[in-house]
């Protein structure tokens, strides 16, 4: 396998000016990550500041309703409310030990921005968060949380004013401030080594979930593991330690948008073609001329026209099965899980829950383990407008 690639996908398609910080980051991964000092501090932070291990929860009411055994890996119980903090604490600590004092990040749903701000506060660093102007409005609670904790918020008015554009502007900022700043990339995408680095920090999800499920089920593995896929960090974290288990079906759920013919979606694995975006070769939503198409999802964290290269590889090899769920199905799952189990999921995670609901006939009698990647209080404003 070529360095920085997952099969045919990945690489470093970037301006030459960004090569020095990427080389510096790769060297830090090789020299700092394996040290006892880093591993001890990181493990303690996950335990004391995040609350790991996060629980797995059996859903008795929905399991009875659907005719299957539904389990949730509860990343929504983490401090700050999502899986994102696993990655930001890891990258933040690494950056601190590299001598950086600013954490730069992009965010869509706002959870990565919140988690980056939390990490910066804990590590006595400054947080600078780029966010599409559209997302600043629809994720106002997270914007307020970031500002309260001291982050500098930079609304992005270009393009579709969503995650893709926030990444573009954050990369430009990094070009000028790389000596003092670490770009805390929020998902398992971007140029090498970010997909590998983010997976390294997020694979704790499946490491815990695999053992927890076996402990609760007489040593048996789940039949199906499900996670929503935008850029893909919660999903690659949830899949990683199950990949060698061929008996376990891995299902990634992309956002189909409204689901109407010719609507904008956020499903590059189901509808996209090979192309380059944000420093990586992957599957993209693009025109025949290679122009990036607008993406759409009711879930801001899935509103992205690309996907991490490892997911593109799992899709190409058939090890991962990638499907779509539309806005209405995700909103239904949001309401059903809230009402039947008293758990309010993020709209992103609701896409994964919806897969179990919409495919209950095929999943009869099976054990289904869903990554509940975040909590839904951030989305109540969106739901108020829709409902």
């Amino acid at each position: 396998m070529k360095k920085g690639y997952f099969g045919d996908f990945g690489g470093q398609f970037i301006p030459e000016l960004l090569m020095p910080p990427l080389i510096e980051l790769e060297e830090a991964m090789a020299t700092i990550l394996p040290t006892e000092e880093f591993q001890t501090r990181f493990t303690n932070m996950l335990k004391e500041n995040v609350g790991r291990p996060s629980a797995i929860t059996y859903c008795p009411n929905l399991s009875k309703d659907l005719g299957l055994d539904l389990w949730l890996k509860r990343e929504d119980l983490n401090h700050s409310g999502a899986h994102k903090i696993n990655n930001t604490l890891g990258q933040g600590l690494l950056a601190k030990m590299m001598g950086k004092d600013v954490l730069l990040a992009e965010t869509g749903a706002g959870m990565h921005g919140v988690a980056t701000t939390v990490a910066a506060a804990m590590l006595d660093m400054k947080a600078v968060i780029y966010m599409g102007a559209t997302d600043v409005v629809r994720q106002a609670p997270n914007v307020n949380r970031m500002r309260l904790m001291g982050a500098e918020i930079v609304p992005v008015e270009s393009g579709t004013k969503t995650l893709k554009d926030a990444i573009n502007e954050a990369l430009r900022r990094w070009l000028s401030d790389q000596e003092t700043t670490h770009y805390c990339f929020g998902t398992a995408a971007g140029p090498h080594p970010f997909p590998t680095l983010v997976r390294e920090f997020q694979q704790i999800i499946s490491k815990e979930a695999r053992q927890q499920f076996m402990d609760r089920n007489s040593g048996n593995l789940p039949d199906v593991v499900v996670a929503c896929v935008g850029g893909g960090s919660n999903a690659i974290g949830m899949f990683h330690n199950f990949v060698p288990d061929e008996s376990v079906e891995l299902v990634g759920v992309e956002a189909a948008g409204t689901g109407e013919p010719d609507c904008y979606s956020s499903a590059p694995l189901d509808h996209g073609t090979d192309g380059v975006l944000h420093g990586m070769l992957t599957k993209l939503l693009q025109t025949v001329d290679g122009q990036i198409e607008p993406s759409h999802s009711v879930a801001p964290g899935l509103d992205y026209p690309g996907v991490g290269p490892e997911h593109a590889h799992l899709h190409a090899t058939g090890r991962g099965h990638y499907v779509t769920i539309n806005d209405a199905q995700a909103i239904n799952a949001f309401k059903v899980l809230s009402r039947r189990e008293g758990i309010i999921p993020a709209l992103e995670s609701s896409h994964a829950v919806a897969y179990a609901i919409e495919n209950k006939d095929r999943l009869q009698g099976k054990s289904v383990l869903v990554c509940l990647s975040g909590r839904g209080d951030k989305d109540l404003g969106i739901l108020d407008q829709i409902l």
Side-chain angles (χ1 to χ4, degrees):
M1 184 180 293
K2 292 183 290 184
K3 177 184 173 183
Y5 278 80
F6 304 90
D8 295 329
F9 303 99
Q12 286 178 321
F13 297 85
I14 54 165
E16 290 182 10
L17 288 172
L18 275 181
M19 281 306 297
L22 288 176
I23 292 171
E24 181 187 25
L25 179 58
E26 191 172 2
E27 290 174 348
M29 288 170 61
T31 59
I32 297 175
L33 278 189
T35 64
E36 183 177 353
E37 180 186 1
F38 180 91
Q39 291 297 326
T40 299
R41 289 180 67 182
F42 184 48
T43 299
N44 288 340
M45 290 168 75
L46 289 177
K47 180 180 179 181
E48 296 175 9
N49 300 102
V50 180
R52 303 209 73 92
S54 64
I56 65 166
T57 298
Y58 181 67
C59 297
N61 300 323
L62 258 182
S63 294
K64 183 179 178 181
D65 295 346
L66 301 175
L68 51 88
D69 287 324
L70 181 64
W71 296 78
L72 306 176
K73 177 57 173 168
R74 300 293 305 280
E75 294 301 290
D76 61 311
L77 296 178
N78 292 343
H79 175 52
S80 77
H83 69 290
K84 293 293 188 180
I85 197 165
N86 305 322
N87 173 48
T88 63
L89 281 184
Q91 288 200 50
L93 179 60
L94 183 63
K96 186 77 171 178
M97 295 176 71
M98 291 167 67
K100 310 294 184 181
D101 53 24
V102 178
L103 288 183
L104 170 66
E106 83 298 327
T107 194
M111 297 308 294
H112 175 60
V114 169
T116 300
T117 306
V118 169
M122 286 172 49
L123 293 162
D124 193 25
M125 302 174 76
K126 178 183 178 182
V128 178
I129 311 298
Y130 279 74
M131 192 172 188
T134 297
D135 292 333
V136 169
V137 173
R138 62 179 175 171
Q139 298 286 245
N142 277 339
V143 174
N144 292 336
R145 294 165 76 193
M146 287 184 272
R147 285 184 172 139
L148 177 63
M149 291 184 287
E152 175 190 341
I153 310 292
V154 184
V156 176
E157 299 284 352
S158 60
T160 58
K161 304 180 184 179
T162 55
L163 180 60
K164 169 181 68 71
D165 313 292
I167 293 174
N168 290 339
E169 295 303 320
L171 283 169
R172 291 188 182 99
R173 175 75 171 257
W174 197 28
L175 273 171
S176 61
D177 295 350
Q178 56 190 256
E179 186 173 326
T180 59
T181 299
H182 171 69
Y183 185 13
C184 189
F185 206 83
T187 192
H192 174 73
F194 282 116
T196 301
L197 179 64
V198 175
R199 185 195 66 195
E200 172 66 22
F201 295 135
Q202 292 294 4
Q203 59 94 20
I204 187 69
I205 302 172
S206 55
K207 181 180 180 180
E208 290 176 2
R210 188 179 185 279
Q211 189 60 52
Q212 289 169 321
F213 189 91
M214 293 174 68
D215 289 346
R216 297 277 294 275
N217 291 275
S218 304
N220 295 315
L221 291 168
D223 296 310
V224 186
V225 170
V226 188
C228 64
V229 179
S233 65
N234 97 90
I236 211 64
M238 187 64 175
F239 291 172
H240 183 65
N241 288 287
F242 288 106
V243 168
D245 301 309
E246 295 184 3
S247 67
V248 178
E249 182 182 3
L250 304 178
V251 178
V253 183
E254 295 188 298
T258 63
E260 298 167 351
D262 299 322
C263 74
Y264 290 127
S265 73
S266 298
L269 291 174
D270 282 87
H271 304 312
T273 53
D274 292 3
V276 172
L277 178 68
H278 296 144
M280 61 181 169
L281 173 61
T282 188
K283 290 289 185 182
L284 302 176
L285 297 173
Q286 58 185 342
T287 67
V288 292
D289 299 321
Q291 297 300 307
I292 301 300
E293 293 184 328
S295 57
H296 166 74
S297 171
V298 70
L302 302 184
D303 195 345
Y304 183 59
V307 66
E310 190 166 4
H311 286 295
H313 174 61
L314 291 173
H315 176 258
T317 60
R319 181 63 188 96
H321 178 213
Y322 293 84
V323 300
T324 59
I325 285 292
N326 65 40
D327 291 349
Q329 292 168 326
I331 291 168
N332 176 63
F334 184 100
K335 294 189 292 185
V336 168
L337 186 62
S338 299
R339 292 171 180 175
R340 294 300 287 147
E341 301 292 348
I343 298 170
I344 303 175
L347 279 171
E348 291 79 14
S349 315
S350 298
H351 285 71
V353 177
Y355 173 80
I357 295 172
E358 300 295 330
N359 293 275
K360 64 180 181 180
D361 293 340
R362 188 180 76 81
L363 298 171
Q364 287 296 295
K366 293 191 174 183
S367 55
V368 181
L369 178 57
V370 173
C371 183
L372 201 74
S373 56
R375 65 181 186 228
D377 49 339
K378 70 180 180 63
D379 297 317
L380 294 178
I382 296 175
L383 267 291
D384 285 345
Q385 291 180 353
I386 293 171
L387 300 178

